[in-house]
Structure formats: structure tokens, C-alpha cells
Amino acid sequence: MIDYQVLRSHRKTLSLQVKQGLVFVRAPHHVDEKFISLFIKKKSAWLKAKITEQNQTADLCCDFTQGSKLFLFGQLVTLNIVFAESAEKLDSKNSVFLAEAVTEQPTLTVKLPTRIQHKKLDKLSLAMAVKKQLECFLKQQAEDIILPKVEFYAKLTKLDYKSIKIRQYRARWGSCNSRSELSFNYLLMMLPMQVIDYVIVHELCHLRYLNHSKHFWQLVAQHFPNYIEAQQWVKTHQSALYWQSPS
């Protein structure tokens, strides 16, 4: 029997979601447990395949230790942690850098000050220091990449926004509110450029339609015809796109 969690709401239909190997059932309040159990049984083959797929990719989640993996612009890279006196004066622009490899995966090097090494930090504290350095790096990359892209697509779509905020979100890549304010997750830098473009177009289209109606998707398709492929990339790799909390 597959374990699952039921999330009740005022929705009209049942839906399934597999996230990080866990099964969630979104169900209307009036649907009883017996019906949900039968629904899960009917979908068990698909659910088991999805859980297996996500558990296999879960090993790719970055835990901020030496040799761990993470995606950067859609490419899987290996984390390399080094200590250097010069890192005392480094910022996020030059303390994290990508080294291309000929036969192996590219290496993303994170430089930490030697004073951290001398403190002989425990595994958790060291991972937290690496995580902080990576967050600064990705946020800077996001500001350099997302801001001009939003400007480009805003002109292309002729959709006006008031402001942009870049930060980290736990469960969304971007958002748009009724005040025409856009927000983007700097972890978008883990995705391929074309998928980043899709997320930007998606949020810009919400400036006209604050929903996911047929008209909304028609507008998205008008400006980004390959949006389904972009969505599929995220779905395929979603288990590897979550950052594990250092432990």
C-alpha cells in the first residue's frame, strides 16, 4: 500500500502530486477516504514509478558537502570546496566559479577563508558556510541575468510591471500580484536558460491574467511556444532541484 497525505480544499476534483518521493492527494471536502483509497490503488503503478524516479534523483540534491551535486543553468556540476587566504577579501562574484571539465562533470568551486578551516568547524557549520556562499553567488547571478531578461520580454509582450524582487522561495519559481509586482526565486539559476525565459514570460503574462485560464495559456504560447517542453524539464528534474537543509 502506498502511503499518502490528503490535503482537503474547496476544489471540485481529485488530483495527485508526488513531491520528493511523497504522495499528496488534493481532494474536495465531500470525497470520503474509501473513494480516495480506491483512487490511489487505481493509480498505484504510475505512483510507484514516479516515487522510484524521484528517489533516484534525490541523490542529486545538494547537501553542501565536498563532492555533492547540483544543477547550474541546467548542467549537473560537482561541488568543490577549497580554503584560501585570498578568500578573506573575496565576494560572491569571485569566490564561486565554474571550471569546465573535459571528461568529467564540470566543477563548481567554492572558496572559503582559511580562518574557517582553522576553526575546525563541524560538518553542519561548514555546510552552512558553503550554503551561504552559494546563495550569494546565485542571487548575484540572478540579478545579472533575470533583470535584463524581464526588461526584454516586457518590451516583447508589451506588458508593464512596477517592480522586481529576487529572493529564495521554498515552493515557487516566481510570482506576480495584483499590484504588478514581480518576484523571482534566485534558485532559477539551477535551470536551463530557456526554462528561465519561460518562467519570466509566465509571470509577465500574469500581469494581464492573474489566473491559469485558457486565455492565460494562449498568451504564454504566443510569446513562448515551447512552454510545455520547459515545464517538462522542471517536472523531470524537480527532485534534484530542492536544496537539502545541512544536517
Side-chain angles (χ1 to χ4, degrees):
M1 183 64 182
I2 296 174
D3 292 328
Y4 59 90
Q5 180 180 346
V6 179
L7 304 174
R8 299 284 184 174
S9 70
H10 294 292
R11 63 184 297 123
K12 297 180 180 180
T13 58
L14 281 173
S15 71
L16 292 175
Q17 180 184 29
V18 182
K19 188 174 182 180
Q20 294 181 277
L22 303 176
V23 177
F24 298 92
V25 183
R26 301 185 184 278
H29 291 292
H30 66 271
V31 176
D32 61 30
E33 290 291 339
K34 184 177 181 180
F35 186 89
I36 293 174
S37 180
L38 290 173
F39 182 65
I40 290 291
K41 186 176 181 180
K42 182 179 178 180
K43 299 289 185 179
S44 62
W46 178 83
L47 288 169
K48 289 177 181 178
K50 202 70 178 175
I51 291 169
T52 299
E53 174 189 315
Q54 292 194 3
N55 286 338
Q56 287 174 345
T57 57
D59 292 338
L60 300 178
C61 292
C62 183
D63 62 1
F64 313 104
T65 59
Q66 182 75 12
S68 61
K69 312 292 184 183
L70 71 155
F71 277 102
L72 182 65
F73 303 122
Q75 184 178 32
L76 196 62
V77 300
T78 301
L79 193 62
N80 179 40
I81 304 167
V82 300
F83 296 91
E85 292 288 350
S86 59
E88 299 283 350
K89 300 180 180 179
L90 292 176
D91 57 28
S92 61
K93 289 186 176 181
N94 50 17
S95 62
V96 181
F97 55 90
L98 184 67
E100 295 291 341
V102 178
T103 58
E104 301 178 355
Q105 289 174 352
T107 298
L108 187 67
T109 297
V110 177
K111 279 189 177 182
L112 296 176
T114 51
R115 57 182 167 78
I116 291 181
Q117 186 180 32
H118 295 328
K119 288 181 179 179
K120 297 182 179 180
L121 299 179
D122 57 36
K123 180 181 177 182
L124 175 59
S125 299
L126 179 59
M128 289 296 293
V130 173
K131 180 174 183 285
K132 183 177 180 181
Q133 200 80 305
L134 282 173
E135 287 174 337
C136 291
F137 169 72
L138 292 180
K139 186 174 183 181
Q140 184 62 58
Q141 292 291 314
E143 290 173 351
D144 292 344
I145 291 170
I146 291 176
L147 298 182
K149 281 183 176 291
V150 171
E151 190 66 24
F152 170 80
Y153 281 110
K155 291 180 180 178
L156 181 68
T157 59
K158 298 180 181 178
L159 296 168
D160 297 323
Y161 62 93
K162 288 186 178 178
S163 64
I164 303 175
K165 182 185 295 184
I166 295 177
R167 50 165 295 182
Q168 185 180 152
Y169 295 97
R170 293 188 64 182
R172 58 183 176 180
W173 296 115
S175 66
C176 173
N177 62 31
S178 59
R179 298 184 297 276
S180 299
E181 297 168 335
L182 301 174
S183 296
F184 294 98
N185 190 337
Y186 58 72
L187 294 184
L188 276 169
M189 298 301 99
M190 300 176 71
L191 279 52
M193 283 293 182
Q194 62 180 12
V195 183
I196 296 172
D197 287 354
Y198 158 65
V199 173
I200 290 171
V201 170
H202 182 114
E203 299 307 332
L204 282 170
C205 289
H206 277 312
L207 292 167
R208 183 170 298 172
Y209 302 106
L210 273 175
N211 52 48
H212 289 103
S213 64
K214 178 180 70 174
H215 297 296
F216 168 80
W217 289 115
Q218 287 175 343
L219 186 62
V220 171
Q222 178 183 337
H223 299 292
F224 200 92
N226 297 327
Y227 75 91
I228 294 178
E229 287 85 345
Q231 290 176 334
Q232 188 57 50
W233 192 94
V234 175
K235 288 180 180 179
T236 300
H237 299 88
Q238 63 177 349
S239 295
L241 298 175
Y242 295 100
W243 279 17
Q244 296 179 3
S245 298
S247 59

